[in-house]
Every structure is written in C-alpha cells, then in structure tokens.
Amino acid sequence: MKLGVKGRIAVVCASSRGLGRACAMELGRAGCTVVINGRDSPTLEQTAADIRQETGATVIPVIADVATREGQDALLAVEPHVDILVTNNGGPPFRDFRAVDREAMLAGVVNNMVAPIELVQRVIDGMVARRFGRIVNITSGSVKMPLAGLDLSSGARLGLTGFLAGVARSVAHANVTINFLLPGSFETRRLQSGLEREAEARGVDVETVRQEAAASIPARRIGTPAEFGAACAFLCSAQAGYITGQSLLIDGGAYPGVL
Ligand SMILES: NC(=O)c1ccc[n+]([C@@H]2O[C@H](COP(=O)([O-])OP(=O)(O)OC[C@H]3O[C@@H](n4cnc5c(N)ncnc54)[C@H](OP(=O)(O)O)[C@@H]3O)[C@@H](O)[C@H]2O)c1
C-alpha cells in the first residue's frame, strides 16, 4: 500500500531504538525524510545507517534530550518544517507509587506529557498553514489498562491524551490529525529490562517470565517493533486523514474490554 507521504519531513523523537526506531524505519520506507533522535551517539548513528541502508531514505540523526528546550530546539532546527511528528520518550522507572516523590512525579509529567505538548505547540501552526500534518503520540497500553508500579506513566500519558483531545478537533479541518498509539508488550530494551526485573524478584529465569508473559496475551506472543512501526506509518499516511483524536491499542488482544 502506498502511503502518499513521499518527500514529507518526519521527526521521530526517541528513535535510536525500540518502538521509535521502528516508526522511523517505516516512515523512511514510505519515502519520508526522517529526523531521528536519542542521547547515545553510537546507537543513534548505527540506527541512521541501518534505516538508510534498508529504505534509501534521507536520515538526519540529532543527539538531544527530547524533554529539554535545547533538545527540542535541536530537533526542530534541522529541517525548515515538520509534516509528521511522532512523539516518544523513555518511560518512568517501575516503582511503588509510595516511593514516587514530588521531584520524580514532576519529571515524569515533563517527560511523558509536557515535552510532547511543547513539540506539538511548535509544529502545529505550520501544519495547519500547509494543510497537512500527522502527529502520532506513543503512549502506553497502561492508559487503558493501568499497571501498578507504572502509575506515573499511566497518569502522565492519560494527561497527554486528554490535553491533546481538544487540540485534535481544533485542527482537523486543516488535514492535521493527532492520534495516540498504545503499545502492549513489544520486544524492546524496555520490555527486556522489565522481564529481568521480574525474574530477579521472583528468583526465576528471564525466559520463564518471557514465556509466561507471552502466554497471558491472547495472541500468545510478544509484538514485534516492526508491527508497531507499520501502524504508525499508516496513521501518518495520506489515507488516514479522517482518523483523529483516537487511541489505538496494539497489544495482541491483551486489553479485555470492548471500548
Ligand atoms: N516496549 C513495550 O512493550 C512498551 C509498552 C508500553 C509502553 N512503552 C513505552 O513506549 C516508549 C518507547 O519504549 P521502547 O520499548 O521503544 O523503549 P527502548 O527500547 O528503551 O527505546 C527508548 C528509546 O528512547 C530513547 N530515549 C530515551 N529517553 C530519551 C530522551 N530523554 N531524549 C531522547 N531520546 C530518548 C532511547 O535512546 P537513548 O537512551 O540513547 O536516549 C531509545 O532510542 C516508552 O515511553 C515506553 O514506556 C513501551
């Protein structure tokens, strides 16, 4: 399926690894110029090389902390405008909510709510003026199905979803969409560290925990980042212009509700 975004400029935050990387890869495959980002230079450069090699896309790596003003300045400075924005960042550490102090709470809200909103504020008027824009926010399945220990993640991301819900309706007339992708369990570094943490706590091996996790999902497997990237690219496509303000769970059926 041709996605109709050849030549578009896509900024994919926190994309040197994992889900962000997969989104950047698919947008590159669709013919976008892709600005990718992370804080570790060798990883980011390697990912840029991989995306170039696999897709032939122009890839611009930007070392930056996406949660800071300077980092956002750096990300938005490399191209004259942004057609597609994928917001993403690391998630807060797993922690009992009693141990999340004020400083940690504010950091979580900045990382997973304020930073994406700031980026949206900075790109949206240009999108409206050019009559094309696609914004996809990577949040988490925990927005719909909270997980104790990831309370800060759920709260900050739900805040982001609510904040941008009205914004989405205010720009839809200009072919600018804002949607949310909610990952369940995907094979990434973050998932691996969660499995390792649980294995250590229970005194069992990581493979046992992985198999149990997969067995608990109706699809009986953990998702691949490529599946996630493909859904992101579709939401960024020309054809997806009538989809806005939506939260799309990609979780192999793990969420048990119907709405
Ligand atoms: N994987 C899952 O199953 C899953 C499920 C639910 C939610 N999520 C959420 O989805 C998001 C992506 O997760 P993932 O699994 O892809 O994680 P990951 O494999 O650990 O990758 C995270 C990426 O973000 C970059 N990054 C982290 N903090 C950054 C910052 N401040 N500025 C710029 N780049 C930053 C990392 O690079 P550097 O460290 O080099 O900066 C890396 O490229 C996270 O918010 C996570 O909580 C993931």
Side-chain angles (χ1 to χ4, degrees), residues 15 17 38 84 89 105-106 109 127 132-133 139 177 196 202 213 216 220 244:
S15 48
R17 297 175 194 265
I84 293 169
N89 200 352
M105 258 186 260
L106 293 176
V109 170
M127 290 177 171
F132 180 89
T139 63
T177 66
E196 286 169 4
R202 290 170 48 196
S216 73
R220 301 284 181 263
T244 197

Side-chain angles (χ1 to χ4, degrees), residues 16-17 19 39-40 65-66 89 157 184 186 188-190:
S16 58
R17 297 175 194 265
L19 303 179
R39 295 163 302 173
D40 176 59
D65 180 342
V66 74
N89 200 352
R157 298 177 201 273
F186 282 87
T188 66
R189 179 183 64 170
R190 181 164 171 93

Side-chain angles (χ1 to χ4, degrees), residues 49-167:
D50 292 348
I51 298 175
R52 283 185 201 112
Q53 191 181 6
E54 200 167 319
T55 69
T58 300
V59 183
I60 305 165
V62 177
I63 294 285
D65 180 342
V66 74
T68 65
R69 168 58 67 166
E70 308 77 59
Q72 295 175 5
D73 287 346
L75 258 179
L76 299 181
V78 290
E79 284 291 332
H81 68 265
V82 177
D83 298 310
I84 293 169
L85 171 68
V86 180
T87 76
N88 186 30
N89 200 352
F94 188 90
R95 194 169 290 170
D96 184 282
F97 85 95
R98 297 168 191 81
V100 181
D101 62 19
R102 186 188 186 94
E103 202 182 336
M105 258 186 260
L106 293 176
V109 170
V110 167
N111 287 336
N112 296 123
M113 177 179 172
V114 175
I117 292 169
E118 287 173 333
L119 287 163
V120 170
Q121 286 174 325
R122 295 177 66 171
V123 302
I124 204 153
D125 289 339
M127 290 177 171
V128 169
R130 290 185 301 277
R131 292 294 191 264
F132 180 89
R134 298 285 183 265
I135 298 173
V136 173
N137 301 283
I138 299 178
T139 63
S140 172
S142 73
V143 167
K144 289 212 175 197
M145 196 167 65
L147 272 176
L150 288 176
D151 315 278
L152 181 55
S153 167
S154 310
R157 298 177 201 273
L158 195 51
L160 173 68
T161 308
F163 193 109
L164 292 180
V167 179

Side-chain angles (χ1 to χ4, degrees), residues 233-249:
F234 177 72
L235 285 180
C236 296
S237 71
Q239 293 92 323
Y242 208 52
I243 303 173
T244 197
Q246 300 305 302
S247 288
L248 177 62
L249 267 170

Side-chain angles (χ1 to χ4, degrees), residues 156-185:
R157 298 177 201 273
L158 195 51
L160 173 68
T161 308
F163 193 109
L164 292 180
V167 179
R169 274 75 185 178
S170 74
V171 295
H173 67 93
N175 189 26
V176 176
T177 66
I178 304 180
N179 290 293
F180 305 86
L181 277 182
L182 284 56
S185 294

